Amino acid sequence: MKRKIVSVLVCAALAATMIAGCGSSSDDAAATTTEETATTEDAAATDDAAATDDAAAEDAGSGDVLTIGFAQVGHESDWRTASTQSCQDVFSEANGYDLQFVDCDNDSAVQLEAVRTFIEQDVDYIIIDPIVSTGWDTVLTECEDAGIPVIVIDRTIDDSDKYVAWVGSDFKTEGLACGEWLKAYAEAKGITELNILVIEGTTGASATIGRTEGFNEIAEREGWNILDSQSGDFTQDGGQQVMESYCKSYEGQFNVVICQNDNEAFGAMDAMKAAGVSYGVDGDVIIVSFDAARTALQYCLDGELNAVFECNPLAAPMVEEIIQGLEAGEEVETEIYVEESCFANEDIVPSITVDGVEKEMTVLTQEIIDARAY
Ligand code: GZL
């Protein structure tokens, strides 16, 4: 699968150099040296010619195709769909790539197997969005031994550093932003007591770990009451099931629901509607989500979500820059954070301060939503 970068001409020149260099006597040695020099010059000339041929081929658009193995988390959310689409758009045949894509269906064993298959296929690069943050060092060592560079996107790998770069989000900052906004929003609304239910993402995913850590840091600082925190696995069904259970177990006790992605929020909204619990800007329960895919932004504009905290899925263009830089033998960035915004329905919290950095709250309009890439 790996592209071929050594032309036949260069091999022949190298073989000729090796034969000429095999002489034993001093005269022969001189002759050999002369021949060697000549052959070396020939080889160099051939090498240049081959390089020129390759460059010409490249210019003619018939250059080497790079094979990319991409082990994607799954297809669990609108966010994931946007992430996959971004990679397929960038690493297309028209752009000179052969993308070997595996949807790992949220199954870590499948994901590890997909990476090992890429090694067997001898791809040029491997991209991984890790379902969970641990259990990676063995297979990443196998990639390193096979000489295949690995680029990690989105979620993080916490038990190995055997990859060349990572492009993604600061999940703890996302969680902190949500907490700081909730504090300011409650104050602006005159809400003095917050009783909170959390629908977490996939257990063990760095996105879940970071968002939970950040939000809980603010909750602890403010003395909020988190009644419960259970995983909805980043899916709409998961969010609905957890919220149905919450509506029974905590009936009349909660006034905030934190959903760690958009699709969980969609499920939670369905469950609260069925249970007769009002939510959103004009409801009894404040509800927020993370991701900010277009559907969630529309719900927020319509007042059904109070706020949405973006997690940008469009890492592929930055990954391509890294790969092209590596191909050109250049130094590349090894850690890139994507740009992210915070959206709200109402303009009562103009901005928040997260870890000492001021972040604007973007009050949604239809124009903003229509202009979004996903
Ligand atoms: C976060 C990403 C998460 C999204 C979910 O970067 O890994 O996984 O928040 C997705 O929508 O399932």
Side-chain angles (χ1 to χ4, degrees), residues 52-81:
T52 306
D53 289 350
D54 278 355
E58 198 81 19
D59 292 346
S62 61
D64 298 324
V65 172
L66 283 179
T67 302
I68 313 286
F70 176 25
Q72 174 61 295
V73 165
H75 51 275
E76 74 286 358
S77 66
D78 295 11
W79 188 99
R80 190 63 54 198
T81 302

Side-chain angles (χ1 to χ4, degrees), residues 51-197:
T52 306
D53 289 350
D54 278 355
E58 198 81 19
D59 292 346
S62 61
D64 298 324
V65 172
L66 283 179
T67 302
I68 313 286
F70 176 25
Q72 174 61 295
V73 165
H75 51 275
E76 74 286 358
S77 66
D78 295 11
W79 188 99
R80 190 63 54 198
T81 302
S83 165
T84 295
Q85 191 59 57
S86 173
C87 280
Q88 290 173 336
D89 291 347
V90 168
F91 298 110
S92 65
E93 190 178 341
N95 289 343
Y97 298 96
D98 172 10
L99 180 64
Q100 301 294 310
F101 174 78
V102 176
D103 171 338
C104 301
D105 198 18
N106 236 14
D107 183 329
S108 294
V110 170
Q111 189 163 51
L112 293 174
E113 186 52 38
V115 174
R116 291 193 164 97
T117 301
F118 294 150
I119 295 171
E120 286 165 16
Q121 291 172 338
D122 193 21
V123 299
D124 294 300
Y125 292 88
I126 293 174
I127 300 172
I128 300 170
D129 188 335
I131 295 168
V132 294
S133 53
T134 54
W136 285 100
D137 195 56
T138 302
V139 75
L140 291 182
T141 304
E142 294 165 23
C143 294
E144 193 173 66
D145 293 344
I148 302 175
V150 173
I151 297 165
V152 178
I153 63 169
D154 176 30
R155 299 181 188 175
T156 56
I157 286 176
D158 298 341
D159 67 347
S160 178
D161 59 3
K162 296 186 176 85
Y163 50 88
V164 295
W166 169 84
V167 181
S169 304
D170 184 333
F171 302 117
K172 182 178 178 184
T173 296
E174 293 173 0
L176 289 168
C178 179
E180 293 295 5
W181 171 84
L182 181 59
K183 174 184 185 296
Y185 184 79
E187 283 170 359
K189 287 278 193 178
I191 300 169
T192 54
E193 190 179 338
L194 295 177
N195 294 298
I196 300 164
L197 290 169

Side-chain angles (χ1 to χ4, degrees), residues 257-372:
V257 177
I258 306 292
C259 303
Q260 288 192 350
N261 87 327
D262 294 339
N263 296 78
E264 290 175 341
F266 305 159
M269 288 152 68
D270 289 344
M272 283 193 280
K273 204 172 293 174
V277 176
S278 67
Y279 56 85
V281 170
D282 299 324
D284 296 333
V285 175
I286 297 164
I287 177 171
V288 305
S289 79
F290 293 83
D291 281 352
R294 190 174 283 115
T295 305
L297 294 178
Q298 196 65 55
Y299 278 127
C300 189
L301 178 64
D302 298 342
E304 294 206 59
L305 287 173
N306 297 79
V308 180
F309 298 88
E310 183 180 18
C311 179
N312 182 342
L314 309 181
M318 286 157 269
V319 173
E320 188 188 26
E321 273 183 43
I322 291 167
I323 288 174
Q324 290 304 326
L326 292 172
E327 286 294 296
E330 296 162 358
E331 286 284 306
V332 295
E333 285 196 71
T334 56
E335 187 177 78
I336 301 177
Y337 285 93
V338 292
E339 291 291 315
E340 298 181 335
S341 303
C342 304
F343 300 98
N345 172 279
E346 304 153 277
D347 62 357
I348 57 177
V349 177
S351 67
I352 52 177
T353 301
V354 183
D355 261 348
V357 176
E358 188 168 12
K359 281 177 83 79
E360 179 200 12
M361 289 301 299
T362 301
V363 178
L364 279 168
T365 64
Q366 197 59 55
E367 292 70 30
I368 290 173
I369 294 174
D370 295 345
R372 296 272 301 166

